[in-house]
Amino acid sequence: MEQKEITVALVGNPNCGKTSLFNALTGLNHKVSNFPGTTVEKKTGSFKLSANKNAHIIDLPGTYSLYPKSADELVTYEILRNKAETNYPDLVVFIADASNLKRNLLLFTQVADLKVPIVLALNMLDVAERRGIKYDLDKLQEKLQVPIISINARKKEGIDKLKEVLLDEKLRITAKYFSLEKVSPQLLLDISKVTDKRNKYAALQYAINASSLLSEKATRLSEIFKHYEFDIISFQEDEVLTRYQIIDETVKYARIKNTAQLRSPVTSKIDKILTHRYYGIAIFLVLLLLVFQAMFSWSEYPKEWLEYGLNSFTNYVEKTLPAGILNDLIVHGILAGLTGVIVFLPQIILLFLFIAILEDVGYMARVGFIMDRIMRPFGMNGKSIVPLIGGMACAVPSIMATRSIENKKERLITILVTPLMSCSARLPVYTLLIGMMLEDSAKWGPFNMHGLVLMLMYLIGFFAALLSAWMFKFFIKQKEKTYFILELPGYKVPVFSNLLITIYEKGSAFVFGAGKIIIAVSVILWVLASTGPNANMQAIEKKYTTLLNSDTLTELHKKELHLQRNAQKLEASYAGEFGKLIEPVIRPLGFDWKIGIALLTSLAAREVFVGTMTTIYSVNNDGDNSFSHIKEKMMAEISPRTHKPSYNTATFLSLMIFYAFALQCMSTIAIVRKETGSIKWPLIQFVYLTALAYGSSFLVYNLFS
């Protein structure tokens, strides 16, 4: 049977429940990529409508109108306007928040006027009813003249009915709400010749959006507007007023109760506490403390199970594969590097889970509101806090999220300081170093010391971001007035399935994204650490072969000689030679050549530091490949230069401060280049953060030595 497919676009305002509906329709059958030629995230998926028909669905970025103000909104506009676009939909499912229907219908009427078949999915009717708002859906459908389906995307209610409507080709209806009768017909004709001949409203809208650009077509459109003395601002004002008149009449007709009967929503009562100028900040800090405590406490057992499983697998591979170079490469190169990072996955998943819950509940927007007063003296505004907190997970999407900041200077400052927020890639580094520095049982009153130190590292990153922003604001010229407008969404109970999907996406992105780099680095590192100048390596081998052949040696002495031989071979290897080359530069920070190698390899991604250290100490192995044993070996190592332990409190603090500030992430540099449209800003950012990391690390090491 021949399979048919239709393309469906999900369109709506931000926070209308679009992502919940997308998850309800597709489950895990979706993928995340970028729209062609942009860095805007594109979520696509598919689901079955009938035995011979599938739906390909695109979750378009949320927007408030078809006059785009940001790159995200431009993507939505372009796909709906341009029929030649590969993602142009056969049908639009417009999701509207019933508790704020008037505002949602503005975009709905604009999309409908593009003549794309459209279905209105009315979401959050339960929220509206709790506020005393009810609608007669038959009357609403009678006025809007398109199919209307009531859904509850979070509870997956109304999904089957929606699929029935999508399947029925008779219900693919277009509607018209706004008339162009006040616009000169000749002007519309001239514009249609340059742009879109199928739809005059789409043609005029494109002309308005494109007229400010620098292109031959834009110049031609500007000339047409000038010739007919067309005032774009007056037209847009008239369009919005006219649409709201239609919307007002529609909503009044369909509404069952009047606005006078509205009840005070619970949201307002909760907001009085959570957005209070003092309590709000205190609650935010307490929440952060609880998150970091839970990250260490709750992850303890999953981390042990994961480590046990990985070590068992490594031992199995070592015993199963024939002894030789391949065995050595897989066991002491690839598996050692991967194990060193993957054991921290439970903590990373917990971090993603807490951030997802705070976003899903609607708390993150409140944090932006209460932080606005704090951010302004530092050249940012309340919207900057969302990318900064998002930076605790990953700087790359967080820097993309700065597009919601309208003021260019505030946006640039936020981009420059976001990498100072401790991301999930730093978490394995912090966890390893804190675990080596403090005993597992260390407590301060009822608090786990590991959690407190981890929270301190995140706060250090946040305050360094504020101070850096304060400095940048004097060097970046202000050309625009700044203002702060933020929509506070209603509070919602997190949906378990949505949280699971988010964690799956983020966790798999971390494992597969970091895994590819770690495997590549581990292989290169294993080769460099296992080979070296022939003369030196042969001399070491000859020396210890003679010693080990002595009949008077006990098993303990032989084991010690094996360790000494491996240590000397590692030092004489190419990796050792390279590490020693850079050692004079990093020695003032308390780092030796082994740490130097890890610093260089983690330029690709910070978490590679842990994989590199475990690979280096695994190459110098004595038969026990467990991650815990490798940590013990690092702690027991004596520096041949000072004859003291290579790792002490000063070294740990110096390393953590270096990793808190240094820009060791190629992806971040690339996204800053893309978002700023210049190589100048990522270069400034890299030099500044490297200097900050080196200077701070030097200071900390000498203070605690």
Side-chain angles (χ1 to χ4, degrees):
M1 186 182 297
E2 186 185 355
Q3 289 290 317
K4 295 180 180 177
E5 184 176 84
I6 62 167
T7 300
V8 178
L10 295 185
V11 182
N13 289 173
N15 301 314
C16 66
K18 212 156 41 65
T19 301
S20 294
L21 178 58
F22 179 84
N23 290 338
L25 288 169
T26 63
L28 290 176
N29 191 22
H30 69 265
K31 63 179 182 180
V32 180
S33 58
N34 283 353
F35 286 101
T38 75
T39 55
V40 179
E41 189 177 88
K42 172 187 177 186
K43 287 181 77 173
T44 57
S46 62
F47 58 92
K48 196 168 268 303
L49 283 172
S50 67
N52 65 340
K53 185 167 282 188
N54 294 326
H56 172 65
I57 192 161
I58 308 170
D59 184 11
L60 293 179
T63 180
Y64 290 106
S65 85
L66 288 184
Y67 294 110
K69 304 292 183 194
S70 67
D72 295 40
E73 293 179 351
L74 185 63
V75 165
T76 300
Y77 164 73
E78 274 296 326
I79 287 179
L80 295 177
R81 178 200 69 82
N82 189 358
K83 210 166 184 176
E85 240 282 342
T86 51
N87 294 301
Y88 184 79
D90 299 303
L91 179 69
V92 165
V93 173
F94 190 95
I95 301 98
D97 174 0
S99 66
N100 203 343
L101 188 58
K102 283 187 182 179
R103 192 197 64 203
N104 284 248
L105 287 182
L106 176 66
L107 175 64
F108 167 81
T109 59
Q110 285 184 322
V111 174
D113 280 331
L114 292 175
K115 296 298 176 193
V116 190
I118 192 166
V119 173
L120 178 61
L122 205 53
N123 194 25
M124 302 187 200
L125 280 162
D126 53 339
V127 178
E129 286 188 17
R130 284 200 294 274
R131 297 181 184 179
I133 305 169
K134 286 186 178 178
Y135 293 103
D136 183 326
L137 298 191
D138 290 334
K139 286 186 174 180
L140 197 60
Q141 187 164 301
E142 177 190 333
K143 276 285 186 184
L144 293 176
Q145 293 292 303
V146 297
I148 297 178
I149 309 297
S150 69
I151 63 165
N152 187 325
R154 300 168 70 80
K155 295 180 180 176
K156 299 182 181 178
E157 292 173 359
I159 305 300
D160 290 338
K161 181 67 180 170
L162 179 62
K163 287 182 179 178
E164 286 175 19
V165 173
L166 297 181
L167 192 58
D168 190 344
E169 295 188 12
K170 292 177 185 171
L171 295 178
R172 291 183 199 168
I173 299 169
T174 59
K176 181 181 177 183
Y177 302 102
F178 180 66
S179 169
L180 295 175
E181 60 185 7
K182 295 180 184 176
V183 182
S184 162
Q186 192 57 45
L187 178 146
L188 293 174
L189 186 63
D190 288 352
I191 284 176
S192 297
K193 291 176 184 173
V194 182
T195 60
D196 191 335
K197 293 180 177 59
R198 72 186 169 92
N199 183 307
K200 289 180 179 172
Y201 175 70
L204 180 59
Q205 206 176 50
Y206 173 80
I208 291 172
N209 288 325
S211 61
S212 59
L213 302 177
L214 295 175
S215 69
E216 192 176 327
K217 187 184 278 188
T219 305
R220 174 70 186 127
L221 291 168
S222 294
E223 288 171 355
I224 294 172
F225 284 144
K226 194 174 179 182
H227 176 75
Y228 290 98
E229 297 179 343
F230 182 80
D231 186 335
I232 292 175
I233 302 296
S234 296
F235 170 79
Q236 288 179 315
E237 289 173 352
D238 180 61
E239 180 190 345
V240 171
L241 286 173
T242 304
R243 288 188 187 281
Y244 268 123
Q245 284 173 1
I246 298 168
I247 292 166
D248 273 341
E249 290 171 9
T250 303
V251 170
K252 278 181 185 173
Y253 180 71
R255 191 175 228 161
I256 295 173
K257 291 189 178 182
N258 294 325
T259 53
Q261 293 175 293
L262 292 180
R263 294 198 299 266
S264 175
V266 178
T267 299
S268 304
K269 296 173 186 172
I270 301 174
D271 277 346
K272 282 182 182 175
I273 300 171
L274 292 187
T275 60
H276 189 275
R277 62 187 307 174
Y278 301 121
Y279 305 149
I281 293 172
I283 291 169
F284 176 53
L285 289 175
V286 169
L287 272 175
L288 280 185
L289 179 62
L290 292 175
V291 167
F292 292 121
Q293 288 291 309
M295 279 168 61
F296 266 102
S297 304
W298 296 359
S299 66
E300 192 176 340
Y301 288 115
K303 196 178 160 191
E304 285 179 8
W305 298 334
L306 199 55
E307 187 180 342
Y308 176 79
L310 288 166
N311 288 336
S312 300
F313 179 69
T314 302
N315 290 332
Y316 171 78
V317 172
E318 186 174 24
K319 289 173 184 172
T320 307
L321 282 178
I325 292 178
L326 183 63
N327 184 312
D328 214 26
L329 169 64
I330 293 175
V331 173
H332 302 300
I334 296 172
L335 289 178
L338 282 176
T339 302
V341 175
I342 290 177
V343 292
F344 297 103
L345 192 59
Q347 283 165 324
I348 290 167
I349 284 178
L350 280 174
L351 176 65
F352 287 138
L353 174 66
F354 287 124
I355 291 177
I357 290 174
L358 294 178
E359 283 180 342
D360 221 26
V361 166
Y363 180 70
M364 293 295 271
R366 270 81 186 173
V367 175
F369 178 76
I370 59 176
M371 294 298 284
D372 185 56
R373 285 190 304 275
I374 296 173
M375 308 299 277
R376 288 209 170 272
F378 299 97
M380 298 184 282
N381 71 30
K383 285 187 178 177
S384 302
I385 198 68
V386 176
L388 290 181
I389 291 178
M392 288 163 54
C394 180
V396 174
S398 302
I399 286 170
M400 289 158 63
T402 59
R403 293 171 188 156
S404 62
I405 302 171
E406 292 83 2
N407 184 283
K408 289 180 183 175
K409 176 179 176 179
E410 291 172 345
R411 183 180 178 226
L412 181 57
I413 291 175
T414 308
I415 288 174
L416 293 176
V417 303
T418 293
L420 283 166
M421 298 299 292
S422 289
C423 63
S424 58
R426 288 175 172 114
L427 193 54
V429 182
Y430 290 159
T431 308
L432 173 70
L433 297 175
I434 293 171
M436 291 170 68
M437 185 171 66
L438 297 170
E439 292 180 3
D440 291 342
S441 57
K443 290 192 179 298
W444 185 66
F447 300 109
N448 182 318
M449 278 298 290
H450 288 206
L452 287 178
V453 175
L454 185 64
M455 180 173 174
L456 180 65
M457 292 309 300
Y458 277 78
L459 289 178
I460 286 173
F462 178 67
F463 286 115
L466 287 184
L467 285 174
S468 301
W470 181 76
M471 287 192 295
F472 281 131
K473 81 172 186 177
F474 294 107
F475 294 101
I476 301 172
K477 292 180 182 177
Q478 169 76 40
K479 291 181 180 177
E480 301 172 68
K481 287 185 178 178
T482 180
Y483 55 92
F484 178 59
I485 300 173
L486 182 70
E487 180 191 3
L488 296 182
Y491 292 104
K492 306 179 191 79
V493 177
V495 178
F496 185 68
S497 59
N498 285 349
L499 293 177
L500 278 183
I501 289 172
T502 302
I503 291 167
Y504 170 77
E505 286 176 356
K506 304 286 185 188
S508 57
F510 175 81
V511 170
F512 294 112
K516 286 184 284 188
I517 299 172
I518 289 165
I519 288 175
V521 170
S522 296
V523 170
I524 295 169
L525 199 60
W526 176 85
V527 172
L528 291 175
S530 304
T531 56
N534 276 337
N536 296 345
M537 299 297 269
Q538 285 173 3
I540 295 169
E541 194 64 43
K542 185 177 177 183
K543 170 186 166 185
Y544 282 94
T545 302
T546 306
L547 290 172
L548 286 165
N549 284 335
S550 171
D551 297 331
T552 59
L553 287 178
T554 63
E555 284 302 315
L556 184 63
H557 285 143
K558 284 184 179 178
K559 190 174 181 182
E560 287 176 357
L561 284 174
H562 275 295
L563 285 175
Q564 287 174 19
R565 181 193 62 184
N566 292 342
Q568 287 190 19
K569 285 177 79 172
L570 177 63
E571 196 168 348
S573 68
Y574 291 120
E577 295 282 327
F578 189 66
K580 285 180 179 175
L581 190 68
I582 62 169
E583 194 177 38
V585 179
I586 58 174
R587 191 178 295 154
L589 311 183
F591 305 157
D592 64 7
W593 59 272
K594 293 178 184 172
I595 296 176
I597 295 172
L599 291 180
L600 285 175
T601 54
S602 60
L603 276 173
R606 295 179 181 94
E607 59 270 40
V608 175
F609 171 85
V610 179
T612 301
M613 294 304 282
T614 49
T615 300
I616 288 173
Y617 282 89
S618 179
V619 168
N620 178 16
N621 80 90
D622 55 359
D624 187 343
N625 299 309
S626 70
F627 183 65
S628 302
H629 186 66
I630 287 170
K631 283 202 299 185
E632 288 172 14
K633 285 167 65 179
M634 291 168 70
M635 288 294 292
E637 188 176 63
I638 300 296
S639 166
R641 191 174 59 82
T642 63
H643 303 291
K644 294 179 180 176
S646 296
Y647 297 92
N648 54 32
T649 302
T651 311
F652 291 133
L653 293 175
S654 175
L655 255 176
M656 285 197 287
I657 289 296
F658 188 89
Y659 271 88
F661 297 156
L663 182 55
Q664 295 161 293
C665 180
M666 295 301 178
S667 302
T668 302
I669 294 171
I671 200 67
V672 172
R673 162 75 178 84
K674 182 88 178 173
E675 292 294 313
T676 59
S678 162
I679 191 65
K680 170 186 162 187
W681 293 111
L683 276 177
I684 290 174
Q685 190 181 40
F686 181 78
V687 171
Y688 168 74
L689 293 179
T690 303
L692 179 66
Y694 191 93
S696 305
S697 194
F698 175 80
L699 190 65
V700 166
Y701 180 70
N702 285 284
L703 277 175
F704 287 90
S705 290

